[in-house]
Amino acid sequence: MCYTDNDNRYNNSPMVSQLTQSPLQIANLEQLERIRHTCAHIMAMAVQILFPETKVTIGPTTDTGFYYDFDRPQPFTPEDLTKITKQMRFIIKANLPIIREEVTREEIKVEIEKLNELYKLEILDSIPEGETITRYYIGSPDGGRLPDVGEKLKAAFPEPSLIKPVKIPPTVSWWDLCAGPHINYTGEINPDAFTLESVAGAYWRGDETKAQLQRIYGTAWETPEQLKAYLKQQEEAKRRDHRKLGKELKLFSIQEGAGGGLVFWHPRGATMRYIIEDYWRKAHLDAGYELLYTPHIANLELWKTSGHLDFYRENMFDSMDIEQQAYQIKPMNCPFHVLTYKNDLHSYRELPLRWAELGTVYRYERSGVLHGLMRVRGFTQDDAHIFCLPTQIAGEILGVLNLTEKILSDFGFKDYEVNLSTRPDKSVGTDEGWELATNALDRALNTKGWDYLEDKGGGAFYGPKIDIKIKDAIGRTWQCSTIQVDFNLPERFDMEYVAADGSRQRPIMIHRAIFGSLERFYGILIENYAGDFPLWLAPIQVRLLPVSETQRPYGKAVVTMLKQSGYRVEIDCTGERLGKQIRNAELEKIPVVAIVGKREVETQTLSIRTRQQGDIGTMNITELKESLEEVLAKKTNI
RNA sequence: GCCGAUGUAGCUCAGAGGUAGAGCAUUCGAUUCGUAAUCGAACGGUCGGCGGUUCAAAUCCGCUCAUCGGCUCCA
């Protein structure tokens, strides 16, 4: 499991899908796809009108719009995007026809060569023999095509300005080699329902050894309302950004002085992590797991045996020298769990063994891919390995699915997308082994009653796997949990158990993680709740606000009492006025504040204000505790 | 790593060759206050780092570090 990129448990990348949910109901998805694809063409046309030296490459649609990759010596600036947008509106408003033409390989080749569009030539060469080749015109085919058009435009406009958008004479056209489909007229696009978003570097054909191109991203919708809704959703995502909230709520930091991708958990974040870990341990002990702690480094030989040095090297930090022996900081926990297993002789009667560890691993990630808590260089996996008999696989997998559901739903994630990935072309293990394991995963999912998508050939080379994605409060999906069968490590480490007949047999090894990485899961939690954590997770649950300093002694006594009952409570001793104290508590997103003034001291009560409901009235400590307990039991916000 | 952008006080940001600024936070003083900002003062900076150009650099140039948006979608 531990070697390849398609290994999701160990894939530390954000794995958030683009906003797959439309902000508004899409009336006609097929038409929208055409609109987006045509938008890409119109953008390319606009770019070549304004910047004729630019070469075109490809321009597909995305979940929210489109992009086009260009080859141009100078980078596009934000001002360029404004100009391009204006030029696109011209083209849209001109309502030019879009004409599909089937062409032969030979004739289109000549035309592309005439234009010196080398990338297009490469694309043409990659189209399989026998496939229909089409080109799409924007405007009349009689009009010629850029850069011929450039000449015509120069004739039409004696001093064609590259700053101002250029009006397209009806006789001018632009075309692109394209499979389509497209809309029929540019006017079908609402000029106020698209916008250009950003410029980014991208490699030709996604290959970093090839030319670096400039990609312009755009978003396009059926109506301006949809666009507005989409932009609002983007704003919402920005508002929830865990990096911003992490700083504002003093949860964690990543510091230049220490290095990128290394996380500092500050007291409030650390409190939450403690709660999460504590919950996780109890849940695992209840589910029949035992806990392990293993070292952070080990002799490099171990990583040779496990195969990581061969297959995972590019994600590993360099080894260090200790008394002439090479030691490696761990990028994975599994070899340690295997060594723990191998330290004893095991009988079939002991199986299954379920060993869990919050294991901190370090992986080299290229500086450009680091991203807040979502992609870091040091992180803690909620790792576990199950060693079992072949006959126990389905039962164990079902157990993992049940535990996963319990844990994820307690953290507020109740919608899942499940994938079952099967044997890839290159793999280890026997046919029977794969069939047995894959059937067991399938059976477990069916027993659980979960629908899933099968990703044929998408498994790791060492075994089939189940991945579970969760859906957050604004409809984004995140990959966290994964369950993987491993035929490789037991073989490499020559793991055994003693079977009923006294023979030595190979146990089945299952890797699984529910959060994936604590750092990443925490980042997702912050974004899911937008920093308004449910009471059971909130680092400060209750803050007492004395109306004046006179009430401090009473407030302190209440704090002591609540603390003794296990609540996370504090008192505001800033001496600020009540309004300011409330404002501060609101900004810190503290779920409950208890106001103590003269009245409360006299009646031995508290005036309660919650962040969700505002002022909810006066109660005594017992009543407060009761309502807190009720909310804590439900694991919701108050 | 690569392409582009951004780094100014603890935070959010202004300043664009000529004395380093604001609000919030912090500290001190006054105020003792009833459901989202009391008033005043003080403190706070090698303008990310290193080097260069210049009489003069936060500002221009080079390198470097970090952060942000991308680098999967394939005519």
Side-chain angles (χ1 to χ4, degrees):
Chain A
M1 88 149 333
C2 318
Y3 314 112
T4 60
D5 264 339
N6 60 4
D7 156 9
N8 284 313
R9 180 166 72 105
Y10 291 109
N11 185 344
N12 185 30
S13 67
M15 298 293 278
V16 58
S17 73
Q18 276 294 329
L19 302 159
T20 45
Q21 283 191 332
S22 314
L24 276 178
Q25 202 63 39
I26 301 299
N28 185 341
L29 190 61
E30 202 200 317
Q31 170 73 357
L32 182 57
E33 276 291 307
R34 287 168 190 259
I35 284 174
R36 286 171 175 170
H37 201 165
T38 302
C39 268
H41 277 215
I42 292 174
M43 178 166 75
M45 179 177 182
V47 164
Q48 289 201 317
I49 289 171
L50 295 169
F51 312 102
E53 74 283 8
T54 309
K55 297 294 172 203
V56 292
T57 68
I58 53 164
T61 60
T62 66
D63 288 344
T64 58
F66 59 93
Y67 67 79
Y68 208 112
D69 287 347
F70 300 100
D71 187 5
R72 176 179 182 238
Q74 311 98 295
F76 292 107
T77 64
E79 294 74 49
D80 291 339
L81 291 195
T82 312
K83 289 172 211 159
I84 295 165
T85 305
K86 279 189 186 156
Q87 183 66 60
M88 288 174 72
R89 296 221 164 94
F90 264 90
I91 297 168
I92 289 167
K93 285 177 181 163
N95 199 20
L96 301 172
I98 292 158
I99 294 160
R100 177 179 185 272
E101 182 190 45
E102 291 192 12
V103 291
T104 67
R105 189 178 292 270
E106 291 68 33
E107 63 181 336
I108 196 78
K109 191 168 181 179
V110 171
E111 299 225 28
I112 295 172
E113 278 170 349
K114 232 192 301 180
L115 296 171
N116 202 25
E117 291 281 11
L118 300 175
Y119 296 94
K120 283 291 166 195
L121 217 50
E122 203 177 318
I123 289 163
L124 179 67
D125 287 342
S126 69
I127 299 175
E129 230 21 86
E131 218 165 277
T132 309
I133 298 173
T134 51
R135 82 164 128 187
Y136 279 83
Y137 284 98
I138 298 177
S140 161
D142 309 328
R145 192 240 191 229
L146 291 169
D148 312 21
V149 172
E151 296 305 314
K152 291 190 187 186
L153 289 173
K154 270 184 205 160
F157 302 89
E159 283 178 37
S161 167
L162 293 187
I163 309 300
K164 276 190 249 160
V166 176
K167 207 169 218 166
I168 314 297
T171 55
V172 165
S173 73
W174 182 90
W175 60 261
D176 199 5
L177 178 70
C178 179
H182 286 273
I183 49 179
N184 296 319
Y185 288 91
T186 59
E188 287 171 50
I189 297 167
N190 186 317
D192 296 319
F194 83 92
T195 186
L196 301 188
E197 295 179 292
S198 59
V199 187
Y203 298 103
W204 171 234
R205 306 227 151 179
D207 181 343
E208 63 184 36
T209 63
K210 295 192 171 152
Q212 177 113 29
L213 307 171
Q214 293 189 62
R215 175 172 298 179
I216 302 181
Y217 278 98
T219 183
W221 302 88
E222 292 171 316
T223 63
E225 289 70 36
Q226 285 175 3
L227 174 64
K228 248 179 251 159
Y230 165 75
L231 294 175
K232 207 173 147 198
Q233 200 169 354
Q234 297 285 93
E235 282 304 308
E236 180 62 21
K238 231 185 210 170
R239 187 178 77 80
R240 291 166 175 263
D241 192 315
H242 73 281
R243 294 166 298 187
K244 182 171 164 274
L245 288 170
K247 191 184 273 183
E248 285 172 3
L249 302 180
K250 300 190 166 112
L251 303 175
F252 69 90
S253 68
I254 293 169
Q255 305 195 21
E256 192 171 339
L262 302 169
V263 181
F264 290 72
W265 295 72
H266 292 219
R268 292 185 190 180
T271 298
M272 294 182 68
R273 174 161 169 170
Y274 173 79
I275 296 159
I276 294 166
E277 289 186 350
D278 196 43
Y279 166 90
W280 181 91
R281 281 194 196 94
K282 285 193 183 111
H284 279 72
L285 293 173
D286 287 351
Y289 286 75
E290 296 170 293
L291 301 178
L292 299 185
Y293 292 93
T294 63
H296 286 200
I297 62 171
N299 198 304
L300 191 61
E301 287 302 317
L302 176 64
W303 303 100
K304 286 183 186 160
T305 307
S306 69
H308 289 100
L309 199 61
D310 287 335
F311 298 105
Y312 202 71
R313 184 169 225 158
E314 57 182 44
N315 279 295
M316 288 160 66
F317 284 106
D318 287 343
S319 60
M320 59 189 115
D321 210 53
I322 300 174
E323 293 184 346
Q324 282 108 54
Q325 295 246 31
Y327 277 75
Q328 175 68 44
I329 190 155
K330 66 175 172 184
M332 305 247 178
N333 300 303
C334 21
F336 293 81
H337 290 199
V338 173
L339 287 192
T340 310
Y341 179 95
K342 276 181 65 83
N343 203 46
D344 287 307
L345 182 62
H346 295 281
S347 154
Y348 74 97
R349 295 173 195 276
E350 292 174 62
L351 305 184
L353 286 168
R354 307 184 192 102
W355 289 347
E357 176 180 14
L358 294 166
T360 304
V361 297
Y362 291 87
R363 296 183 183 173
Y364 169 68
E365 297 280 0
R366 300 196 291 178
S367 55
V369 304
L370 300 175
H371 181 93
L373 294 178
M374 301 302 188
R375 191 135 174 208
V376 292
R377 285 179 172 159
F379 59 100
T380 302
Q381 296 180 321
D382 67 319
D383 213 349
H385 297 92
I386 298 171
F387 304 104
C388 66
L389 306 172
T391 51
Q392 293 171 329
I393 302 176
E396 287 306 306
I397 300 287
L398 182 60
V400 174
L401 294 179
N402 286 332
L403 182 61
T404 303
E405 182 180 39
K406 181 198 157 34
I407 290 179
L408 292 180
S409 61
D410 276 348
F411 283 94
F413 301 107
K414 308 201 196 258
D415 286 339
Y416 315 112
E417 271 175 41
V418 183
N419 276 293
L420 171 62
S421 303
T422 60
R423 189 176 193 174
D425 292 339
K426 274 180 79 178
S427 62
V428 300
T430 61
D431 291 353
E432 305 83 69
W434 275 89
E435 202 182 320
L436 178 89
T438 310
N439 286 343
L441 297 190
D442 175 74
R443 206 157 69 240
L445 282 169
N446 286 329
T447 310
K448 182 73 195 154
W450 279 0
D451 291 334
Y452 63 90
L453 286 172
E454 191 174 322
D455 180 5
K456 280 207 167 63
F461 75 87
Y462 45 80
K465 63 175 181 180
I466 294 171
D467 295 320
I468 299 160
K469 286 182 195 160
I470 53 180
K471 201 175 266 185
D472 79 5
I474 56 171
R476 298 175 298 184
T477 58
W478 305 83
Q479 155 96 54
C480 293
S481 316
T482 183
I483 309 164
Q484 314 192 347
V485 179
D486 186 343
F487 303 124
N488 185 45
L489 283 185
E491 200 68 38
R492 281 181 166 269
F493 280 94
D494 192 25
M495 296 172 72
E496 301 178 327
Y497 64 89
V498 181
D501 63 1
S503 65
R504 302 290 170 107
Q505 303 289 334
R506 197 75 79 217
I508 296 287
M509 181 174 185
I510 300 166
H511 309 256
R512 45 110 287 181
I514 293 173
F515 299 141
S517 126
L518 278 178
E519 282 75 6
R520 189 150 75 82
F521 189 76
Y522 185 47
I524 295 166
L525 272 183
I526 295 170
E527 303 214 354
N528 181 58
Y529 289 115
D532 277 311
F533 299 110
L535 192 66
W536 76 289
L537 289 171
I540 300 163
Q541 294 170 316
V542 183
R543 180 181 284 171
L544 268 87
L545 312 181
V547 174
S548 74
E549 286 175 21
T550 329
Q551 289 89 38
R552 259 190 216 171
Y554 172 70
K556 283 183 178 170
V558 174
V559 166
T560 306
M561 270 188 274
L562 288 172
K563 268 192 175 163
Q564 277 166 357
S565 305
Y567 299 101
R568 297 184 288 279
V569 201
E570 61 181 29
I571 182 165
D572 187 329
C573 283
T574 57
E576 293 286 351
R577 297 184 177 187
L578 183 61
K580 182 64 173 284
Q581 293 185 55
I582 288 172
R583 179 179 155 81
N584 287 341
E586 288 286 345
L587 292 175
E588 292 172 54
K589 299 184 191 280
I590 293 167
V592 180
V593 296
I595 294 154
V596 288
K598 213 193 284 176
R599 291 199 296 271
E600 287 76 16
V601 177
E602 275 164 14
T603 57
Q604 295 286 293
T605 56
L606 302 161
S607 281
I608 304 300
R609 178 190 159 104
T610 74
R611 189 161 145 72
Q612 303 293 314
Q613 306 167 65
D615 187 354
I616 59 166
T618 301
M619 53 182 79
N620 63 38
I621 295 183
T622 312
E623 289 166 331
L624 173 64
K625 283 203 253 185
E626 279 167 9
S627 40
L628 292 178
E629 281 312 314
E630 208 178 298
V631 177
L632 285 172
K634 288 189 290 189
K635 291 198 158 51
T636 59
N637 216 320
I638 190 162

